[in-house]
Amino acid sequence: MGTVLINGRVVTPEETIECDIRIENEVIESMGKNLIKENDKVIDVKGAYILPGAIDTHTHFDLDTGTTFTADNFETGTKAAIVGGTTTILDFATQNKGESLEEALNNWHKKAQYKAYCDYGFHMAITDWNEKVSKDMQLMIDEGVTSFKMYMAYKNLMVKDREIYEALVRSKEIGGLIGFHCENGDIIDALVDNAKKNHKTKPYYHFKTRPACLESEAINRLASIGEVAKAPVWIVHLSTEMGLKEIKKARAKGVEVVLESCPQYLLLDNSYYGKETDESFEAAKYVMSPPLRGKNDNEALWEGIRNGDIDFLGTDHCSFNYKGQKDLGIDDFSKIPNGGPGVEHRVYLMYTYGVCEGKISINDMSRLVSTNAAKNFGLYPKKGIIQVGSDADLVVLNPNTETIITKDKQTQNVDYTPYEGFKRKGSIEHVFLRGNEVVKDENFIDNSPIGLYQRRNVRNFD
Ligand code: URP
Ligand code: ZN
């Protein structure tokens, strides 16, 4: 018995076509007209878009920051993902100091296995570089972890330039891709120390101590290291116009830069940090790194989306409750856990503020939230595309509804959303994960965690 979606508008990276889709044995079995076979379940989705299940390239679930754990774990985070049309997430397994990559990977498997409601894969964040780690990068590739991450900021996580160089040379050798958090951590630490010495403790100073030029400086430095190492670099969560300019310069010189940004850097700006004189702690909700930037940056990134400079959008979902977690930094902004929620709303935000406002087409959107991620992270064409033989990860979006985003209606396990009160166009009426209908009319209809680990290939564009 199969399932046939009839009368939908199927979104491919290039065009939107009216055709039916028949699902059998977890994959797309056929596309076209007159596909119904005996005993098939038929769902009429007239007028709705059918999108490839979205892929979030950047989540942090069940992450221990040293003072607290993220509010969302793999259970709640993947539930939120799938309700919002994301059928695969790529989470950052993170190596603790002194730990092997294998140990870190095992930890992350334990966190996710049998708990995930959408499919998932891992990047490996390397925080303690040494010869064994270099050797074990191949082991990660063999385990389906074909991408890595290094931090250029955060005292306890950041690596040195030489380590970046050595890791890039190694990753080039084995076909991996390394993502970089680009901010100059040493200078940020100096600015933070100085602010605290001067009794500047409000969340506003999180933003003031992380100026835009420290992102573009790190991008420039990374691009030069990538050039010397002759390796591609993936820049995660780009937030600034200045950074984008550096990336364009690097690409013009032949450096291969894979570029990710996130909805918060398109839709939110630094006015959320309030004023220096504000007594309120509300700004803590927006304490994330990099911080929110200026409206000029929002515009420059939209332009980067429109002209194809930005390859895909993740969320950097790293949620902490306002009450009980963000307030760890009530007297000291540097103790506020960094990050915010987003996994649930990314597809809706890009549809509402990208497609419906005429900035991008629905086809551009499907590339940005799905196809390009699948290609860069070795999931294509199993995922990221609607075609015969691909996993039946399908999102049915009714374009004709409008509501408001609010924390009270969200699935993610956190007590606020940075998008409170934002309008939300469209509603996700069905989500299929490998052919299983798991969401109907924005609610779960199957309450078991059927998400599976995705062993990924190295980058593949064919
Ligand atoms: O503030 C953020 N983004 N926290 C998560 C860690 C990171 O920088 O990706
Ligand atoms: Zn992150």
Side-chain angles (χ1 to χ4, degrees), residues 58 60 92 149 151 237 316:
H58 194 142
H60 301 275
F92 288 92
K149 182 181 187 184
Y151 288 87
H237 51 46
D316 198 6

Side-chain angles (χ1 to χ4, degrees), residues 58 60 63 92 149 151 154 157 181 183 206 236-237 264-265 287-290 316-318 320 337-340:
H58 194 142
H60 301 275
L63 180 72
F92 288 92
K149 182 181 187 184
Y151 288 87
Y154 296 124
L157 300 171
H181 177 127
E183 286 187 292
H206 170 78
V236 304
H237 51 46
Q264 58 270 33
Y265 301 118
V287 166
M288 57 186 75
S289 297
D316 198 6
H317 181 103
C318 190
F320 300 98
N338 277 215

Side-chain angles (χ1 to χ4, degrees), residues 5-172:
L5 302 184
I6 61 167
N7 299 322
R9 292 188 278 166
V10 176
V11 179
T12 77
E14 296 82 26
E15 57 180 348
T16 306
I17 44 181
E18 295 202 359
C19 88
D20 302 344
I21 297 176
R22 184 169 188 276
I23 302 165
E24 194 175 285
N25 295 332
E26 304 211 336
V27 298
I28 298 170
E29 183 262 344
S30 52
M31 293 171 66
K33 286 287 167 195
N34 304 317
L35 306 177
I36 303 167
K37 295 188 181 166
E38 207 180 328
N39 296 329
D40 277 353
K41 176 175 177 185
V42 179
I43 305 176
D44 190 346
V45 296
K46 193 167 177 47
Y49 288 118
I50 308 182
L51 293 145
I55 300 170
D56 192 333
T57 53
H58 194 142
T59 68
H60 301 275
F61 295 152
D62 206 357
L63 180 72
D64 183 359
T65 66
T67 56
T68 188
F69 274 80
T70 49
D72 281 296
N73 56 25
F74 276 84
E75 184 188 334
T76 63
T78 56
K79 256 188 193 172
I82 207 151
V83 164
T86 292
T87 49
T88 305
I89 58 102
L90 299 178
D91 199 79
F92 288 92
T94 303
Q95 174 204 26
N96 294 315
K97 297 270 188 228
E99 201 173 61
S100 71
L101 300 188
E102 206 179 357
E103 284 168 319
L105 180 59
N106 287 341
N107 284 344
W108 250 260
H109 274 302
K110 276 189 215 134
K111 287 172 191 275
Q113 206 177 19
Y114 311 126
K115 298 187 190 100
Y117 286 81
C118 70
D119 283 351
Y120 61 95
F122 303 125
H123 314 287
M124 177 55 66
I126 298 171
T127 65
D128 198 358
W129 179 252
N130 56 50
E131 268 178 33
K132 178 166 162 47
V133 167
S134 172
K135 188 164 162 284
D136 288 352
M137 284 173 78
Q138 178 65 56
L139 187 70
M140 293 298 104
I141 302 245
D142 299 342
E143 291 296 318
V145 178
T146 55
S147 44
F148 302 86
K149 182 181 187 184
M150 288 181 133
Y151 288 87
M152 297 172 80
Y154 296 124
K155 266 187 203 127
N156 52 338
L157 300 171
M158 63 193 265
V159 289
K160 298 190 177 75
D161 290 351
R162 179 181 174 145
E163 297 173 328
I164 293 175
Y165 170 74
E166 289 176 359
L168 280 174
V169 169
R170 175 68 174 143
S171 120
K172 167 82 179 175

